[in-house]
Amino acid sequence: MTTRPRPPHAALLALTLGTFLIHGYHPLSEDGGLYTAGIQSALDPTLFPHDLAFAGATRHYSLFTPIMAAIVRALHTPLPWLLLFTYLAGTWIFLYAAWLIAARCFPSQRARLYAIALTAAWYTLPIAGTSLLLMDPYVTARTLSTPLSLLALALALDFEWTTPRRLFGPLAGTFLALAAAAAFHPLMTAYAAALALTLLVTKLPCRPARIAGYSTLTAAALLIAGVLQLKAPPEDVATIAASFSRYYWFLSQWRWYELLGLAGPLLILTLLLRFGRPNPAATALIRAAVALGLIATLISLLFAHESYSTHLVARLQPLRAFLLVYAIMTILLAGTLAERFSRFRIVAPIVLTAMALLMFFVQRQTYSASQHLELPGRAPTNPWSQAFVWGGAHTPTGALFALDANYITIDGEDGQTFRATARRSVLPDFSKDGGEAAVRPSLAAEWYAGQAVQQNLSALTDAQRRQRLRPLGVTWLILHATAPTAAACPYSNAIVKVCSLD
């Protein structure tokens, strides 16, 4: 019986803290704000009376929001502290799962440590043009589903076709890890399950069987995608608009460097297979990752087109499978270089430090107006967040706000979300609520109307704003500081002001 090496607990804790300090923490930004608003609405049903469909959108198809809300109720833990603990726990599990994969792929402890060190340094690495990061600097369902998916893959590496014990034991562990991941994020777990299945096919003992297995998986994936596309009903104008707002669903809209982001990991993995002399576990993992990447790309090329009358396959975002391809590439790249090239061992600390500093710089540029660590109890320094906090503290629970539809992408706004920060209702925005409408067509009509009336809100006259917004019940506005208005604006700073819709 092979003895498994013991995890380097001290190194994992140190890298968890290092990851936190390098990549920052922004709990109410981007998708983190969406999930936080969902938990807030579950904890207090009086919140978001005008936009509960958007505030509670993350409560559908996932147990993440109700589980987080249940923990807050049971332990009386303030939500901001629970989010911070979840972020740190998710980071540790992610690095631990990466180490488990590295332990199966590399015999030396040094190679394993370099593998998880690069994984920590590239924690927020963008995944081609998919609008995903390897891991986010905030808490979402992926904070737990991604580490659990990697854990499932580590267990699947133990799978062998030789004996029932080596067949069913790893299968059971893989299934349990995938089931846990699916409770948090079913869609991302589906791609993890596809990779695990591809890995099992890769481990078939003879080459003809593997080729037949790959062919069967490809044919099955194409058949499922084709049937879904043919059976899906045509979409209305609002649903199509929501789909088109997600440009990254369609490869034809990707920029050249985003396309390189698809080819690059597959090329790197192929080079590692050719020149890195990987052991059987690493060989199987590389082949499975490349196969899944190629299948996902083929499905996207064939079925994710703007010209189609329905975009169901595009909505499933098959290219999100590349998140795991990137994770595997990262783990195997550093470990292979450390294992096979003695010169890399000498420069590795310098290279890893440079990578970490580069990612730190990128995060500081991304969140240039916000604190690097937005910890519980700290007043925000971002002017937009400051206005949001004031709006939540000085308006009734039933207030309905309007902002520029594209506020979240304005330079210096840093992706900070109004709804979760202010705990007040707001008309749907183009970016974040558009994402919810794109994946849930039942929200598309409300999103389409809401974001349309908020276009260029700060450039309108008071009469135009009243004409657009009063029929929807809007009572408060967030405008640029320089926006002309005769309305009362009880709060303002150098960037924005909070005004009543008189």
Side-chain angles (χ1 to χ4, degrees):
M1 180 181 295
T2 303
T3 302
R4 290 292 180 195
R6 295 181 61 183
H9 295 296
L12 288 170
L13 287 174
L15 285 172
T16 298
L17 178 59
T19 300
F20 182 61
L21 296 176
I22 292 165
H23 299 276
Y25 176 63
H26 308 280
L28 302 183
S29 70
E30 301 288 351
D31 287 0
L34 298 182
Y35 279 91
T36 299
I39 301 168
Q40 291 168 342
S41 68
L43 291 169
D44 186 352
T46 67
L47 293 177
F48 315 117
H50 304 285
D51 56 348
L52 185 60
F54 287 95
T58 58
R59 293 156 64 176
H60 294 269
Y61 314 116
S62 170
L63 295 179
F64 176 80
T65 295
I67 287 175
M68 295 290 283
I71 293 173
V72 170
R73 293 192 193 99
L75 301 181
H76 304 289
T77 304
L79 178 57
W81 286 103
L82 177 60
L83 291 174
L84 177 58
F85 173 79
T86 303
Y87 177 79
L88 293 173
T91 302
W92 187 91
I93 300 170
F94 176 74
L95 295 174
Y96 173 69
W99 184 87
L100 289 178
I101 292 174
R104 287 157 171 77
C105 296
F106 305 112
S108 74
Q109 183 74 333
R110 176 168 45 196
R112 300 166 193 157
L113 290 175
Y114 284 151
I116 60 173
L118 184 60
T119 304
W122 283 358
Y123 190 78
T124 52
L125 185 69
I127 308 301
T130 62
S131 192
L132 287 177
L133 303 178
L134 186 58
M135 290 285 281
D136 302 307
Y138 42 78
V139 176
T140 71
R142 293 189 301 274
T143 302
L144 298 175
S145 69
T146 300
L148 289 169
S149 296
L150 287 182
L151 178 60
L153 292 176
L155 296 172
L157 282 172
D158 293 336
F159 181 90
E160 298 292 345
W161 291 95
T162 53
T163 64
R165 180 176 62 84
R166 294 185 177 180
L167 171 65
F168 294 111
L171 271 182
T174 301
F175 176 80
L176 290 175
L178 288 173
F184 297 113
H185 204 306
L187 179 61
M188 295 305 297
T189 305
Y191 296 125
L195 181 53
L197 181 60
T198 308
L199 182 57
L200 301 187
V201 168
T202 304
K203 282 178 162 283
L204 286 167
C206 60
R207 190 168 183 269
R210 291 195 295 271
I211 294 174
Y214 289 141
S215 301
T216 302
L217 288 178
T218 304
L222 292 174
L223 178 62
I224 292 171
V227 170
L228 289 174
Q229 191 71 18
L230 289 173
K231 294 295 183 180
E235 297 170 349
D236 58 26
V237 172
T239 303
I240 292 174
S243 298
F244 286 179
S245 73
R246 308 299 100 180
Y247 84 91
Y248 50 85
W249 286 8
F250 309 103
L251 276 174
S252 61
Q253 295 190 26
W254 283 33
R255 303 169 184 88
W256 66 267
Y257 54 84
E258 292 173 324
L259 293 173
L260 283 181
L262 286 187
L266 301 182
L267 176 60
I268 289 172
L269 287 171
T270 302
L271 291 174
L272 292 179
L273 184 64
R274 176 67 179 84
F275 300 106
R277 291 177 289 168
N279 72 356
T283 297
L285 192 57
I286 291 171
R287 288 174 174 169
V290 171
L292 181 67
L294 292 174
I295 292 172
T297 303
L298 179 61
I299 290 174
S300 185
L301 284 171
L302 292 177
F303 299 104
H305 287 275
E306 305 97 307
S307 60
Y308 291 167
S309 61
T310 182
H311 303 93
L312 179 56
V313 174
R315 188 169 295 117
L316 296 175
Q317 303 173 72
L319 293 178
R320 286 195 163 200
F322 271 80
L323 186 146
L324 292 173
V325 175
Y326 268 69
I328 291 166
M329 175 200 70
T330 302
I331 295 167
L332 296 183
L333 177 60
T336 301
L337 291 175
E339 193 93 329
R340 301 301 177 196
F341 301 99
S342 58
R343 291 182 180 179
F344 178 78
R345 301 169 197 167
I346 300 173
V347 301
I350 299 173
V351 172
L352 292 171
T353 301
M355 291 289 184
L357 291 174
L358 174 62
M359 296 302 290
F360 174 81
F361 174 77
V362 169
Q363 287 303 101
R364 291 308 305 132
Q365 295 300 113
T366 303
Y367 293 92
S368 58
S370 303
Q371 296 163 321
H372 187 57
L373 298 174
E374 298 185 68
L375 299 175
R378 297 184 73 181
T381 57
N382 185 295
W384 289 84
S385 295
Q386 291 171 345
F388 299 166
V389 169
W390 188 95
H394 295 86
T395 61
T397 304
L400 176 59
F401 280 74
L403 297 83
D404 188 286
N406 299 289
Y407 80 94
I408 232 167
T409 58
I410 294 174
D411 288 342
E413 203 279 338
D414 295 354
Q416 302 290 350
T417 55
F418 173 87
R419 191 177 288 120
T421 305
R423 294 165 58 92
R424 292 294 180 266
S425 291
V426 63
L427 293 182
D429 73 281
F430 180 85
S431 179
K432 293 290 102 181
D433 291 330
E436 295 295 340
V439 298
R440 291 188 61 211
S442 60
L443 299 176
E446 184 179 352
W447 166 81
Y448 190 64
Q451 61 87 29
V453 300
Q454 297 177 98
Q455 292 293 332
N456 301 314
L457 196 62
S458 291
L460 302 178
T461 65
D462 285 338
Q464 290 171 323
R465 284 191 281 263
R466 285 193 293 268
Q467 183 181 18
R468 285 189 183 188
L469 302 175
R470 272 185 173 171
L472 300 178
V474 172
T475 52
W476 289 88
L477 308 173
I478 305 284
L479 301 175
H480 296 304
T482 57
T485 180
C489 300
Y491 176 86
S492 65
N493 59 41
I495 305 298
V496 289
K497 54 191 174 184
V498 183
C499 306
S500 63
L501 184 67
D502 57 9

